[in-house]
PDB file of all heavy atoms in Angstrom:
ATOM      1  N   SER A 329      33.503 -35.771  34.460  1.00 48.00           N
ATOM      2  CA  SER A 329      34.002 -37.061  34.094  1.00 48.00           C
ATOM      3  C   SER A 329      35.303 -37.412  34.788  1.00 48.00           C
ATOM      4  O   SER A 329      35.891 -38.454  34.388  1.00 48.00           O
ATOM      5  CB  SER A 329      34.119 -37.113  32.553  1.00 48.00           C
ATOM      6  OG  SER A 329      35.086 -36.257  32.118  1.00 48.00           O
ATOM      7  N   ALA A 330      35.666 -36.641  35.723  1.00 49.00           N
ATOM      8  CA  ALA A 330      36.998 -36.881  36.393  1.00 49.00           C
ATOM      9  C   ALA A 330      36.994 -38.221  37.074  1.00 49.00           C
ATOM     10  O   ALA A 330      38.054 -38.872  36.979  1.00 49.00           O
ATOM     11  CB  ALA A 330      37.219 -35.777  37.525  1.00 49.00           C
ATOM     12  N   HIS A 331      35.869 -38.694  37.616  1.00 52.00           N
ATOM     13  CA  HIS A 331      35.868 -39.938  38.295  1.00 52.00           C
ATOM     14  C   HIS A 331      36.140 -41.175  37.321  1.00 52.00           C
ATOM     15  O   HIS A 331      36.364 -42.294  37.723  1.00 52.00           O
ATOM     16  CB  HIS A 331      34.556 -40.210  39.082  1.00 52.00           C
ATOM     17  CG  HIS A 331      33.340 -40.131  38.186  1.00 52.00           C
ATOM     18  ND1 HIS A 331      32.721 -38.927  37.821  1.00 52.00           N
ATOM     19  CD2 HIS A 331      32.664 -41.120  37.650  1.00 52.00           C
ATOM     20  CE1 HIS A 331      31.716 -39.249  37.034  1.00 52.00           C
ATOM     21  NE2 HIS A 331      31.642 -40.520  36.925  1.00 52.00           N
ATOM     22  N   GLN A 332      35.875 -40.827  36.037  1.00 51.00           N
ATOM     23  CA  GLN A 332      36.083 -41.929  35.103  1.00 51.00           C
ATOM     24  C   GLN A 332      37.513 -42.112  34.658  1.00 51.00           C
ATOM     25  O   GLN A 332      37.855 -42.892  33.712  1.00 51.00           O
ATOM     26  CB  GLN A 332      35.293 -41.663  33.822  1.00 51.00           C
ATOM     27  CG  GLN A 332      33.853 -41.735  34.036  1.00 51.00           C
ATOM     28  CD  GLN A 332      32.950 -41.254  32.893  1.00 51.00           C
ATOM     29  OE1 GLN A 332      33.486 -40.791  31.814  1.00 51.00           O
ATOM     30  NE2 GLN A 332      31.720 -41.145  33.011  1.00 51.00           N
ATOM     31  N   GLY A 333      38.497 -41.409  35.390  1.00 53.00           N
ATOM     32  CA  GLY A 333      39.892 -41.570  35.046  1.00 53.00           C
ATOM     33  C   GLY A 333      40.286 -41.267  33.643  1.00 53.00           C
ATOM     34  O   GLY A 333      39.792 -40.295  33.135  1.00 53.00           O
ATOM     35  N   SER A 334      41.017 -42.193  33.035  1.00 64.00           N
ATOM     36  CA  SER A 334      41.479 -41.937  31.663  1.00 64.00           C
ATOM     37  C   SER A 334      40.532 -42.510  30.615  1.00 64.00           C
ATOM     38  O   SER A 334      41.042 -42.874  29.510  1.00 64.00           O
ATOM     39  CB  SER A 334      42.887 -42.472  31.558  1.00 64.00           C
ATOM     40  OG  SER A 334      42.837 -43.871  31.747  1.00 64.00           O
ATOM     41  N   GLU A 335      39.248 -42.642  30.936  1.00 79.00           N
ATOM     42  CA  GLU A 335      38.334 -43.037  29.903  1.00 79.00           C
ATOM     43  C   GLU A 335      38.336 -42.111  28.695  1.00 79.00           C
ATOM     44  O   GLU A 335      38.503 -40.886  28.984  1.00 79.00           O
ATOM     45  CB  GLU A 335      36.887 -43.014  30.481  1.00 79.00           C
ATOM     46  CG  GLU A 335      36.472 -44.158  31.256  1.00 79.00           C
ATOM     47  CD  GLU A 335      36.402 -45.502  30.513  1.00 79.00           C
ATOM     48  OE1 GLU A 335      35.586 -45.529  29.636  1.00 79.00           O
ATOM     49  OE2 GLU A 335      37.218 -46.369  30.855  1.00 79.00           O
ATOM     50  N   PRO A 336      38.330 -42.544  27.513  1.00 86.00           N
ATOM     51  CA  PRO A 336      38.313 -41.590  26.473  1.00 86.00           C
ATOM     52  C   PRO A 336      37.075 -40.624  26.465  1.00 86.00           C
ATOM     53  O   PRO A 336      35.985 -41.122  26.873  1.00 86.00           O
ATOM     54  CB  PRO A 336      38.231 -42.457  25.172  1.00 86.00           C
ATOM     55  CG  PRO A 336      37.871 -43.766  25.596  1.00 86.00           C
ATOM     56  CD  PRO A 336      38.143 -43.900  27.081  1.00 86.00           C
ATOM     57  N   SER A 337      37.193 -39.365  26.131  1.00 91.00           N
ATOM     58  CA  SER A 337      36.088 -38.507  26.149  1.00 91.00           C
ATOM     59  C   SER A 337      35.141 -38.775  25.047  1.00 91.00           C
ATOM     60  O   SER A 337      35.479 -38.808  23.903  1.00 91.00           O
ATOM     61  CB  SER A 337      36.647 -37.045  26.011  1.00 91.00           C
ATOM     62  OG  SER A 337      35.629 -36.241  25.454  1.00 91.00           O
TER      63      SER A 337
END
Side-chain angles (χ1 to χ4, degrees):
S329 63
H331 61 276
Q332 290 168 5
S334 62
E335 281 293 298
S337 152

